[in-house]
Amino acid sequence: MNEKFDIIIVGGGIVGLATALKLVTMHPNKTVLVLEKEKEVAAHQTSHNSGVIHSGIYYKPGSYKAINCLIGRRELVSFAKEYKIAHDICGKVIVATDKGELAHMNKVYNNGIANGVEDIEIIDSKRIKEIEPFCEGIAGIRVGCTGIIDYGDVARKYAELVIAKGNGNKVLTSQKVIAFEKSTDSTTVITETDKFIGKYIITTAGLQADRITKKEGAKTDASIIGFRGDYYDLTAKGLSKVKNLIYPVPNPKFPFLGVHYTRMIKGGTECGPNAVFVFDREGYSKTAFSLKDTAEAFGFKGTWKFFAKHWQFGLDEYRGAFSKAYFLKRLQKLIPTLEMDDIEPSRCGIRAMALGSNGEMLDDFKIEKHGNALHVINSPSPAATASLAYGNEIAKTATEYFNLSN
Ligand SMILES: Cc1cc2nc3c(=O)[nH]c(=O)nc-3n(C[C@H](O)[C@H](O)[C@H](O)COP(=O)(O)OP(=O)(O)OC[C@H]3O[C@@H](n4cnc5c(N)ncnc54)[C@H](O)[C@@H]3O)c2cc1C
């Protein structure tokens, strides 16, 4: 076929689609193609997350995450209103259950203030109970601007708008990119069934970000490690114990927020996710195994360094994955009266975390440049909340780096 485009984006998750939307808006005369390997867009992290519109309270002041979460959240809420995407700014509480957590709770609150997060306040145990009657805590933070949404719906709307711009812009599914062929002024992107020519390439491949980056010929020191997050649903009996969103104070040593309670926009309330290292980056079951993924993970020295440092955390997470009683115990930290028949196993999601060869997780969003390509290497949470702001940053970087305005 060899159809030609100005920009080809590999990966039809929320980040790739937001980037496409920003590009077609900034450059109405350029043609943009998004290639997605699955039958539908948003098939991986974008539709396997907690569906929380994060406030921006957790992130280091000045970081890319902090800045883009705030701008992105506000833009997302306006977008959801404009396009009538169901959402609810229901607020949440972050709850400390023992004195040892208070120092970090205050740090999180101060981060929120430094980041300019609106409608946050420190609350006492009495106020926690007024907001969430079954929750026990010694102090907490009420975050009024947190909300819930379905990110699959958001991403599908981005795709619809990219196509609606006309000008030959396309979002094609069932197009797995397997190779790139370089020539002097363009790149041929080869999928399992077709070939497309792009003047410029942007990759936003989530759980496959490192592989697609290397396939394009760029070097990256980071390797993607998958962390599965299992969820339980509150049963009809358990549902009355949670009104909206209840989070623990996160462990500052890890990039995960800890198992929490989340009311979902399409009904029901979920509890989770934990964070279990996976042997198959896209295997959505507890026993999924991929020899390729496992061999690659263990062939990377950063993985060994990470395990050496965090083996205790890893073992705890594994216990939680295979024992309902253990998972329940973790949830009871916030709601002590929660019982076995208040929860039932449900779905899971897999987070893509970029790990450096030093065994440290990359904390912030990361974009790398190579020839006529930009590679989005790390898009951890809150990339869904931040998608419109993050997509705008990627589109602006592309405009400058590819000199698109000329
Ligand atoms: C369990 C969990 C809970 C989370 N909770 C939240 C939350 O509450 N709020 C929040 O803001 N964020 C949350 N996140 C994070 C958020 O979901 C991600 O940061 C975001 O979805 C990343 O989007 P993405 O487009 O980079 O990745 P993805 O959605 O994974 O998209 C990447 C796409 O690239 C495609 N692709 C890969 N390789 C190829 C190839 N060779 N050819 C073509 N296509 C390819 C994949 O099929 C995929 O569709 C959570 C994530 C998880 C997993």
Side-chain angles (χ1 to χ4, degrees):
M1 188 154 58
N2 285 11
E3 224 180 318
K4 287 187 181 159
F5 293 85
D6 291 306
I7 304 146
I8 297 181
I9 298 177
V10 180
I14 201 161
V15 174
L17 292 165
T19 304
L21 180 57
K22 292 292 177 175
L23 279 169
V24 298
T25 310
M26 279 180 204
H27 305 288
N29 298 325
K30 303 279 181 215
T31 49
V32 175
L33 167 68
V34 179
L35 294 173
E36 165 54 47
K37 71 179 163 68
E38 305 295 346
K39 285 195 195 97
E40 307 281 342
V41 295
H44 289 289
Q45 294 177 90
T46 299
S47 59
H48 288 85
N49 56 42
S50 298
V52 175
I53 304 175
H54 284 299
S55 63
I57 198 170
Y58 295 109
Y59 318 113
K60 202 168 138 194
S63 64
Y64 228 61
K65 269 189 187 178
I67 296 163
N68 288 297
C69 184
L70 247 81
I71 303 171
R73 165 169 56 81
R74 291 172 186 152
E75 202 178 337
L76 176 68
V77 173
S78 305
F79 183 90
K81 280 184 190 151
E82 183 178 351
Y83 292 102
K84 301 196 173 18
I85 298 170
H87 66 288
D88 185 2
I89 306 304
C90 53
K92 80 171 180 182
V93 284
I94 302 171
V95 176
T97 51
D98 72 61
K99 280 188 183 158
E101 292 174 337
L102 291 178
H104 193 62
M105 184 194 85
N106 286 324
K107 185 162 184 273
V108 170
Y109 174 77
N110 290 331
N111 266 355
I113 296 292
N115 288 340
V117 180
E118 66 276 20
D119 198 13
I120 55 174
E121 60 170 334
I122 297 279
I123 54 176
D124 60 13
S125 55
K126 188 167 158 263
R127 182 78 180 112
I128 293 172
K129 276 229 169 281
E130 280 166 14
I131 300 170
E132 291 289 350
F134 288 83
C135 180
E136 298 283 347
I138 55 169
I141 310 171
R142 185 190 62 80
V143 186
C145 57
T146 298
I148 52 175
I149 198 161
D150 182 321
Y151 285 111
D153 287 349
V154 175
R156 284 184 284 276
K157 181 54 78 177
Y158 294 168
E160 200 184 302
L161 293 175
V162 169
I163 297 162
K165 286 268 177 194
N167 192 41
N169 299 311
K170 287 186 179 173
V171 177
L172 300 180
T173 53
S174 302
Q175 290 285 358
K176 180 174 178 178
V177 173
I178 51 170
F180 297 88
E181 257 172 32
K182 300 280 190 187
S183 60
T184 41
D185 58 353
S186 63
T187 297
T188 302
V189 181
I190 303 166
T191 72
E192 284 175 331
T193 50
D194 295 290
K195 289 182 177 184
F196 304 91
I197 298 172
K199 232 169 152 182
Y200 306 109
I201 308 297
I202 300 176
T203 70
T204 55
L207 286 151
Q208 310 295 337
D210 53 344
R211 288 181 179 148
I212 212 80
T213 299
K214 286 177 193 157
K215 258 194 187 125
E216 190 277 329
K219 287 197 176 75
T220 173
D221 180 35
S223 191
I224 297 291
I225 302 290
F227 282 93
R228 193 186 69 241
D230 302 306
Y231 292 88
Y232 280 78
D233 281 332
L234 288 186
T235 58
K237 176 174 165 280
L239 265 181
S240 62
K241 294 185 177 171
V242 177
K243 285 192 164 171
N244 287 304
L245 275 61
I246 312 174
Y247 278 63
V249 174
N251 181 338
K253 289 191 203 140
F254 304 108
F256 310 113
L257 299 179
V259 291
H260 46 266
Y261 298 87
T262 315
R263 180 164 69 78
M264 304 302 283
I265 195 69
K266 291 189 173 161
T269 296
E270 289 188 337
C271 325
N274 54 357
V276 184
F277 169 78
V278 288
F279 296 95
D280 182 347
R281 292 189 193 184
E282 295 177 0
Y284 295 93
S285 84
K286 288 183 186 172
T287 49
F289 180 81
S290 150
L291 188 60
K292 184 181 174 210
D293 290 356
T294 309
E296 259 183 45
F298 286 109
F300 178 61
K301 63 181 174 196
T303 311
W304 291 102
K305 288 185 184 163
F306 177 82
F307 282 153
K309 222 162 144 189
H310 299 303
W311 63 270
Q312 179 69 55
F313 168 81
L315 285 181
D316 278 357
E317 293 298 308
Y318 261 101
R319 256 182 94 187
F322 289 101
S323 161
K324 184 179 175 186
Y326 193 72
F327 208 101
L328 177 73
K329 210 171 138 206
R330 291 175 73 183
L331 290 167
Q332 283 171 332
K333 196 169 169 281
L334 294 166
I335 301 186
T337 57
L338 199 76
E339 294 174 322
M340 269 301 215
D341 58 355
D342 286 333
I343 60 170
E344 60 190 2
S346 69
R347 62 181 185 108
C348 71
I350 302 176
R351 309 169 184 85
M353 304 295 302
L355 201 62
S357 54
N358 58 1
E360 296 293 333
M361 282 192 185
L362 269 61
D363 184 47
D364 216 345
F365 298 152
K366 186 174 167 66
I367 306 168
E368 282 186 6
K369 297 169 180 165
H370 173 252
N372 66 338
L374 281 181
H375 298 288
V376 176
I377 311 277
N378 199 34
S379 303
S381 183
T385 304
S387 54
L388 287 168
Y390 192 29
N392 196 51
E393 281 298 312
I394 300 165
K396 267 167 46 190
T397 307
T399 301
E400 209 174 289
Y401 182 57
F402 300 148
N403 208 3
L404 294 178
S405 298
N406 292 329

